Amino acid sequence: MRIENGRISQVGTRAQIDALTESDDLIIDAGGGLVMPGFVDAHTHPVFAGNRAAEFEQRTQGVTYGEIAASGGGIRSTVRATRVADEEELTVASQRYVAWFHAGGTTTIEAKSGYGLTLDDELKLLRVIGRMQDVRTVPTFLGAHEIPDEYRGRASAYTALVMEEMLPAVARERLAEFCDVFAEPGVFSIEDSRRILSAARSLGFGLRMHADQLSDSGAAALAAELNAATADHLEHTSSQGIRALDAANVQPVLLPGSVYALGSSRYPKAREMIEAGLAIVLATDFNPGSSPTASMPMILSLACTQMQMTPAEAITAATINAAHSLGRAAEIGSLEPGKSADFVIYDARDYREIPYFFGAPLTQAVYLEGRLVWVAQGLAGLDDKSRRGADRTARR
Ligand SMILES: [Zn+2]
C-alpha cells in the first residue's frame, strides 16, 4: 500500500509498491503482521462523567437494569454527574476512552450526546465530541435519550423542548450530523419519536434510532417509515420489522456488547437479517451503563459466537458497512486507492484471529490519515520513525 498526503494512492503486491518507492519515502514495515482498515464504530456514547461500576455490582446481585433506572439510577445518574462536569473535565475523560478505542483497532466513532438533557448541557457534550483528538468522529444529537428528572411524567413537555429549542440550536451551530431517539414505551413513545425525528429531518439531520431494545414496540417499522439511515439494537424486532427495514433500505446496527453486559441472552437475529439481504453494522454501544466496552474485537467475538456470523461477515459489518451507515463509504471502511489511510497493524497472520483470540492484545499500531496515533507498549520506537515523515509509504 502506498500513501500520499494521508490518502491511499496505490494498493498492490510488494513488488508493485517497491517499483513506485522513492528514496525519501518512509517505509512502515508491518513485520508480516495483519494490516486491516481501522474499525468504524457506528454507535457510541463516549462523553459522560463518572461511571456506574456500583450499579454493575448491584446487577451481579440480581437487581435488574430496569429496577435501577426506576429508582433514579441508570442514565439519569450519569446525567446528574455529567451536568456538573465542565467541558474541560469531559474532554479529558473522553480522550482517555479514545485510547481504548485505539487499543481495539478503531479509528472512527459515531459519537452521541445524550447525558446533558438541557439545551446548554447537550451543546456542551457536542462541543466535547468536536474536541476529541486522534480519532475521526461523526457527531449525533441524542437529546431524546431519557426523560430528565425535572420532566418526570411530562414526556411531551420534554419532547417539545427537544424539538423547539435543542434541535434548532444544534442545527444552527452545526454541532451534529445525525439525530437519534431512544424509542421505547415509557421513555419516548412511537408518536413522540416520530415528531422529533421528523423535525430533525426537516432541519437536515440524518436519522438513527434506538429501536426495539427492550420490547417490540414498532420502532423498527418507524425507522422504515422515516427512511432512517439506521435502526439500532433490534433485540426484539419481529420478522415483519426486519422485512420493513429491508424494504426501506435501513441498516441494522447490532450491539451485542449491551446484551452481554446486561447478562441477557436475547441477541438480535443477525442471520435472519443477513438472509433478508440487509447490510448489518456491528458497533460497541460504548456507554457507562449497558455496554462499558470500547473494544470492537470483543464485539466481533460476540457476533461470531452468539449470533452465528462468520469472521468475514463480522469484520465487514464493523468496517465498510458501518462506514456506509455514516455516509462515509467513499472515504473510510476499506483499504482502497483514494480513501483515507486509516489502518491498523495486528500481531496476527489471518483476519480470523481477531474474533478468535478474544480479549488478546493483538493491536500493534493504529494510523489515522497516515499518521501514527497509537502504538502498543513495548513498540514505542515506531513512534519516532513515523514522526519523521508520517504519510508517505506503507507496505507489508
Ligand atoms: Zn446506545
Side-chain angles (χ1 to χ4, degrees):
M1 183 164 77
R2 183 174 171 79
I3 298 163
E4 292 176 77
N5 301 317
R7 289 194 174 270
I8 299 166
S9 62
Q10 206 91 35
V11 176
T13 63
R14 175 177 288 241
Q16 286 167 331
I17 300 300
D18 277 349
L20 300 166
T21 303
E22 292 162 19
S23 59
D24 63 342
D25 282 346
L26 171 77
I27 293 172
I28 301 167
D29 187 349
L34 174 70
V35 178
M36 295 216 304
F39 289 123
V40 177
D41 192 342
H43 184 133
T44 82
H45 306 251
V47 186
F48 55 86
N51 68 52
R52 306 223 293 271
E55 289 181 7
F56 174 73
E57 183 184 39
Q58 283 182 288
R59 284 193 277 116
T60 65
Q61 301 305 301
V63 185
T64 68
Y65 190 79
E67 287 164 349
I68 290 169
S71 64
I75 293 173
R76 287 187 289 146
S77 75
T78 296
V79 168
R80 288 190 290 272
T82 304
R83 283 179 176 176
V84 298
D86 67 22
E87 209 171 304
E88 202 53 50
E89 290 170 88
L90 291 169
T91 301
V92 170
S94 61
Q95 202 58 40
R96 174 171 174 241
Y97 306 132
V98 169
W100 299 0
F101 283 108
H102 286 154
T106 296
T107 48
T108 295
I109 59 171
E110 181 263 12
K112 303 176 195 294
S113 66
Y115 292 113
L117 310 187
T118 66
L119 172 60
D120 287 348
D121 288 307
E122 285 296 302
L123 295 178
K124 174 177 76 177
L125 266 62
L126 290 168
R127 282 194 298 269
V128 170
I129 292 168
R131 288 174 65 175
M132 291 167 84
Q133 303 275 316
D134 296 333
V135 66
R136 188 186 304 277
T137 53
V138 178
T140 293
F141 167 65
L142 179 57
H145 191 195
E146 172 61 293
I147 311 292
D149 290 341
E150 64 277 16
Y151 281 89
R152 293 317 274 180
R154 296 191 294 134
S156 37
Y158 183 67
T159 296
L161 177 74
V162 171
M163 289 170 59
E164 289 158 23
E165 293 187 32
M166 294 188 192
L167 270 172
V170 173
R172 205 179 315 118
E173 300 196 26
R174 296 174 184 276
L175 286 171
E177 283 181 40
F178 288 92
C179 177
D180 190 344
V181 171
F182 188 80
E184 195 71 40
V187 191
F188 294 92
S189 66
I190 292 297
E191 191 41 48
D192 283 344
S193 301
R194 181 187 284 112
R195 290 168 62 211
I196 292 168
L197 293 171
S198 301
R201 187 167 55 188
S202 67
L203 289 166
F205 291 93
L207 306 183
R208 314 181 87 79
M209 267 180 84
H210 282 68
D212 301 338
Q213 179 183 8
L214 306 172
S215 60
D216 182 12
S217 67
L222 178 63
E225 172 194 320
L226 296 172
N227 281 113
T230 66
D232 304 31
H233 277 291
L234 307 177
E235 285 88 332
H236 289 80
T237 302
S238 63
S239 300
Q240 198 184 349
I242 291 172
R243 283 195 298 277
L245 294 177
D246 185 42
N249 264 324
V250 180
Q251 282 186 268
V253 180
L254 307 185
L255 309 166
S258 63
V259 181
Y260 168 80
L262 291 177
S264 166
S265 55
R266 181 150 184 160
Y267 287 88
K269 301 181 187 111
R271 282 262 54 99
E272 187 177 335
M273 295 178 196
I274 291 170
E275 303 319 331
L278 283 158
I280 285 187
V281 177
L282 286 169
T284 61
D285 192 15
F286 176 64
N287 76 72
S290 60
S291 192
T293 182
S295 168
M296 197 61 97
M298 176 69 194
I299 299 305
L300 300 186
S301 173
L302 289 171
C304 294
T305 61
Q306 307 301 307
M307 290 152 60
Q308 293 76 48
M309 292 175 71
T310 66
E313 285 170 339
I315 288 169
T316 302
T319 52
I320 189 66
N321 285 5
H324 187 267
S325 84
L326 296 170
R328 279 168 171 74
E331 177 73 12
I332 55 173
S334 60
L335 301 180
E336 295 178 79
K339 289 198 175 185
S340 183
D342 296 5
F343 65 97
V344 180
I345 301 172
Y346 294 94
D347 176 19
R349 295 290 176 277
D350 183 314
Y351 67 89
R352 291 172 295 195
E353 293 174 38
I354 304 291
Y356 163 71
F357 283 124
F358 70 93
L362 299 180
T363 310
Q364 292 201 310
V366 178
Y367 290 80
L368 182 73
E369 298 177 349
R371 182 172 59 88
L372 184 69
V373 291
W374 186 91
V375 66
Q377 274 185 344
L379 292 174
L382 261 178
D383 206 14
D384 304 329
K385 209 164 109 189
S386 116
R387 230 182 257 128
R388 276 190 284 117
D391 40 19
R392 280 171 298 192
T393 294
R395 75 177 187 195
R396 278 192 67 167

